[in-house]
Amino acid sequence: MTDNDREQEGCVFEIALAVPKWGKNRGDEREGAHCVDVLVDELRQNGLIVERDVGLQNEFIKLAASNEVIGRAAAALQFRKPTHLGMDLPFEWEEAEAFIRLPDGSLFSWCERFHCYNHIIYGIVNTAESVVVLRSDSKEEHWKPGESLLLKLEAMGVVKEVFPLHDEKKRKQLLRSWAMNWSDVTHQPIDDICAYYGMKIATYFTFLGMYTRWLLFPASLGLVVQLADFGSLQFAVLPFFFMSLISWVVLFFQFWKRKNSAISARLQIYNSASLETEYRSMKTEPSLSRFPSEHMRKQSIDRMKEKANFQREEWFTWLLRARNDAFIILTIICLQLPFELAYAHLYEVLGADVLKFGLTAVYLLVIQYFTRMGGKVAVKLIKYEKFDTAENKANSLVYKVFGVYFMQSYIGVFYHALLHRNITTLRQLLIQRLVISEVIENLLENAIPYLSYRFKKYRAVRNKVKRDKGSSTGKSRTFTRVEKEYLKRAYNASIGQEIEDGLFDDFLELVLQFGMIMMFACAFPLAFAFAAMNNITEIRADALKLLAMMRRPIPRAEETIGAWLNIFQFLIVMSICTNSALLVCMYDREGNWNLSPGLAAILVMEHVLLFIKFGFSRIVPEEPAWVKAARMKNATQAEQVCTRQLLKSHYGDEKCFDEVRSHESKKVA
């Protein structure tokens, strides 16, 4: 039965396991003793629909599951899902009708289904009291009691990779409504994106669409400032543009926080899997009434020891993180800074524009290698740090890698802006950086994954021809859909496969562009028009990359842009300082640095803009009123349920609980 036949019957394969394509030794082994056969039997016994697909180089085990199998896994994982009562409650398969379904009529989102698949396939353990012999070719391994089968096979090298599969019907629908839809350049089907890819990717494209839409204002204003002649008022144009720009960007991020809150509240139905740990900790918390007094005293002593251990661990972690940060900073100063200054000096010395353009192109290509090496060093450093959550670990990595890229991207521009004070050269450099960097980024993002995919297909066909050469049984075969997806690149960060989140590169590109156009806005107001045009095409290019050139990403439940928001805020403050310095350079051409009325006005304007930056943050609420009301309502209902459960467990049966409740109500009356 083909994939299309399965999909017509309503069965969609969502997960695939890649295993080696075994040779002739497979048939010499006892039936059912081969490790892959054992894995397939165990998967079927756990209720999964399994289909084996033999490719040119590997064999693939495709998995699908019924709603009941996913539902029972969700109940075991203790997902909290919204109900028709207006509360989020732990999911129970027997009470499935009480829970609200998604807009497409299904019970579970892709993020929830992926968690359930992982729970099922990695939860297969040896329940027997004796070991099971697993054979692969001529090797034998022992599957011990209580050991995970899939982890064992991954350690043996039998299971090469576990990866999600595209749903062809939904993928083609998104291609039509999203990647190929140019009717509205910033409109995107966010609900469909969230349902197919998860909350984090939907949040990124929401931010990119809103940022591009808001970017049209400074782009239009920059065109007017750059091209129009204001006569005697020309001296006031750039300060006005700068003040308008800071007001715009501060308002944008405040309204982004509001939109982010609203989107998170509206799409929370797709993201209930993120509440798993919260419910698990509440579920397993013991009742205080069940501990005797001696145990309570012992527990108090243990708490004091635990407190001392936590304090010691906290300071040790802080010192380790400070050491790693200092290592990154010293590496930038000692290694990258001289290279950046040498490039800036050569750019100033060269006379021909063609040579400058070529130097910039070579520099950007070489620096890509250096910055990726720095990013890989940062990845290795954070492995030795201890973090409370995965989010803190990701944020630490973001800050370290951004420090490397910040120096790489801006030190040469600072050199021209503040030391040479050559505004004409600075504008040429900004144009070259914006154009060349975008070309390089598009090549790295789109062309290289496509060429890599084509090369893997060519190599697979060539190896197949070599194996079948001279064999009468050799048949010409085409690639199956699952093998094509396996040959595509995973959606990982470019600085290392350890970061399984390709949005790292997309956010980094967006942040570097934002810093370039904001920190040097007064030198080149037309940069905002370049950025707006680039982002309009970036939306569709990123969508096409996800849908056609990459594997389906692992869904992630983050609802915000995380540490990137702090970096954007840092760049806003930096832009206030750098643009004030640029205005001083423009109006103090002789370099006397006298506090004439014009220069004093610029200094006053800098302080006013800093006040606007931090003042507007208090004026515009970060959360809409309806989101705050809904959150408070859910919190109150959850508190009432927890209080009732605690009182029931404390006083025993329901009758005793009712008596206590009536007694308390009489006291209140």
Side-chain angles (χ1 to χ4, degrees), residues 447-493:
I448 291 181
Y450 177 75
L451 293 176
S452 174
Y453 168 67
R454 300 297 300 180
F455 175 73
K456 288 180 180 179
K457 287 185 67 176
Y458 166 76
R459 188 172 60 181
V461 172
R462 187 183 61 179
N463 293 338
K464 180 69 168 58
V465 171
K466 287 183 179 180
R467 287 196 304 268
D468 296 340
K469 193 173 183 180
S471 174
S472 59
T473 59
K475 297 180 180 179
S476 177
R477 297 188 56 186
T478 59
F479 287 92
T480 60
R481 182 189 301 171
V482 64
E483 189 170 18
K484 288 180 180 179
E485 292 198 28
Y486 178 70
L487 293 176
K488 293 178 181 177
R489 290 183 61 175
Y491 191 53
N492 299 329

Side-chain angles (χ1 to χ4, degrees), residues 55-81:
L56 296 183
Q57 286 187 312
N58 299 282
E59 183 180 350
F60 301 94
I61 303 172
K62 299 185 294 185
L63 304 178
S66 62
N67 285 332
E68 181 178 357
V69 172
I70 296 295
R72 296 194 182 279
L77 288 170
Q78 302 171 348
F79 287 169
R80 295 179 67 89
K81 293 183 65 65

Side-chain angles (χ1 to χ4, degrees), residues 29-39 42 126 128 130-145 147 149 152-153 156:
E29 299 170 0
R30 295 196 301 270
E31 185 178 355
H34 196 274
C35 55
V36 176
D37 297 330
V38 174
L39 175 61
E42 291 290 340
N126 184 6
S130 59
V131 298
V132 176
V133 178
L134 301 175
R135 292 186 173 87
S136 60
D137 286 342
S138 58
K139 300 179 182 178
E140 288 188 2
E141 292 284 347
H142 290 167
W143 182 24
K144 300 177 182 178
E147 187 179 13
L149 176 59
K152 180 69 175 179
L153 295 180
M156 292 170 57

